[in-house]
Amino acid sequence: MTVQSASWPQGPFAAAHDSGIWLRCQLHCHTTRSDGTPEPEALVRHYADAGFDVVAITDHWLITEADSGRDGPVLVPASELSADLDRAPFEAEVLALGIARLPNPRVPFASIAACAAWIAEQGGAAVLAHPRWSMLDADDILPAVALHGLEVLNGGCALEQGNGLSDAVWDRLSERGFHLAAVATDDSHRAGDPGGSDSLLAWTMVRAAERSAAAVVDAVRGGRSYASTGPAIHTLERVAGGLEVACSPALAVGLVSGPWDGGRVSADPARAAHRARVLERDADGLIVRAHLDEPEFCVWGRVEIEAADGGRAWTGPLALPGVRAPYRTGG
Ligand SMILES: [Zn+2]
């Protein structure tokens, strides 16, 4: 099993990536070319106007081209592919970011593993779309060792069906040593539609070596990202005994880890903190810098920020030096 995060204990925040740039990416959105309402150029303009640096149009089984215009966002050639599941009439879907051609024939892959492997062979980044919406278990995903990332939050699924959050299955994968990069997306089909838009809900911050499609794909393949529906994570540093996080004003900051493990601190001093403490607050008393203890037992953890408006940000799983020991129950 590939443990990708072993080489990125601080992920995109490691000093080795100091020369990189943060790019705000929309990595999942649809146009009239498949089942969306905006024309490709209108979709790109919509995200450009909202401050996005990168757009990957992911029409189903198509690579949709668009004119980004002068100084427009970087366009990543991409598609949303599908794979059969043994046990269900429904398919799983995988984002293929940075592919130059489509599979031939254009039929669903036999498995998520085969789909991810094909994408990886093309030099693309394979990101599992909406695992909760597809009702996938960790056992459905573990064989797909070529996957690079997972949508921890799919905005469209969250908005329209309330099942866009996939943190539980993501953590089960991490606990079993399969660490996938943090991705959050809109999966918009009606971006900017005056009758009801499903965009600007979620995005992925990627630490790319440069402002290019290839660098974005390379960063997702290497786990150099965090996912957000609002909050920003400014820095993440290893310090003695844990991590120090600087972020946009937060109601709570936590380290999510495996069974029995992790810690969290809230801005409200009346709320109990566990294995975490506030280092700095803003004028409103919200957390802008926090210390998180490293895991006690588990060898991985991920940082999660919660903002006062309900927005969240998630780092990918980080390799942290917990002690992997049998849990003691006192029995
Ligand atoms: Zn989609």
Side-chain angles (χ1 to χ4, degrees), residues 118-214:
W118 184 87
I119 296 164
E121 279 164 21
Q122 308 302 309
V127 175
L128 186 65
H130 42 62
R132 168 63 184 84
W133 182 82
S134 301
M135 200 58 91
L136 302 179
D137 297 326
D139 287 332
D140 295 318
I141 303 167
L142 279 164
V145 293
L147 278 175
H148 300 102
L150 174 149
E151 281 182 347
V152 58
L153 193 282
N154 178 296
C157 296
L159 179 74
E160 296 182 349
Q161 292 173 307
N163 53 10
L165 182 63
S166 296
D167 55 351
V169 75
W170 191 32
D171 290 342
R172 289 197 179 93
L173 295 170
S174 294
E175 180 59 18
R176 290 165 75 172
F178 189 25
H179 293 182
L180 293 171
V183 171
T185 70
D186 279 344
D187 195 0
S188 62
H189 291 74
R190 291 178 281 166
D193 189 328
S197 180
D198 57 359
S199 64
L200 313 183
L201 302 168
W203 51 89
T204 307
M205 297 299 296
V206 159
R207 185 79 174 247
E210 57 176 37
R211 196 184 159 88
S212 73

Side-chain angles (χ1 to χ4, degrees), residues 28 30 60 80 187 189:
H28 190 169
H30 298 273
H60 300 277
E80 184 170 19
D187 195 0
H189 291 74

Side-chain angles (χ1 to χ4, degrees), residues 15-56:
H17 306 303
D18 277 355
S19 60
I21 46 170
W22 283 110
L23 297 174
R24 187 178 182 215
C25 307
Q26 183 49 250
L27 300 178
H28 190 169
C29 49
H30 298 273
T31 75
T32 49
R33 300 298 185 269
S34 66
D35 52 351
T37 58
E39 290 293 327
E41 271 78 25
L43 180 78
V44 172
R45 213 176 317 118
H46 174 76
Y47 281 113
D49 290 348
F52 280 77
D53 302 296
V54 176
V55 178

Side-chain angles (χ1 to χ4, degrees), residues 139-301:
D139 287 332
D140 295 318
I141 303 167
L142 279 164
V145 293
L147 278 175
H148 300 102
L150 174 149
E151 281 182 347
V152 58
L153 193 282
N154 178 296
C157 296
L159 179 74
E160 296 182 349
Q161 292 173 307
N163 53 10
L165 182 63
S166 296
D167 55 351
V169 75
W170 191 32
D171 290 342
R172 289 197 179 93
L173 295 170
S174 294
E175 180 59 18
R176 290 165 75 172
F178 189 25
H179 293 182
L180 293 171
V183 171
T185 70
D186 279 344
D187 195 0
S188 62
H189 291 74
R190 291 178 281 166
D193 189 328
S197 180
D198 57 359
S199 64
L200 313 183
L201 302 168
W203 51 89
T204 307
M205 297 299 296
V206 159
R207 185 79 174 247
E210 57 176 37
R211 196 184 159 88
S212 73
V216 169
V217 171
D218 192 52
V220 175
R221 285 173 64 105
R224 297 190 295 279
S225 67
Y226 73 88
S228 181
T229 61
I233 303 174
H234 302 312
T235 61
L236 180 64
E237 282 177 59
R238 287 285 291 136
V239 294
L243 292 170
E244 246 183 61
V245 185
C247 56
S248 53
L251 207 56
V253 178
L255 185 80
V256 178
S257 184
W260 295 46
D261 219 334
R264 196 162 182 268
V265 62
S266 302
D268 182 350
R271 302 250 179 221
H274 181 69
R275 295 181 59 77
R277 63 182 190 274
V278 176
L279 296 175
E280 197 179 328
R281 296 173 185 272
D282 72 355
D284 298 320
L286 295 169
I287 304 167
V288 292
R289 209 158 57 87
H291 174 99
L292 300 166
D293 290 359
E294 61 193 34
E296 283 184 275
F297 317 110
C298 300
V299 292
W300 68 278

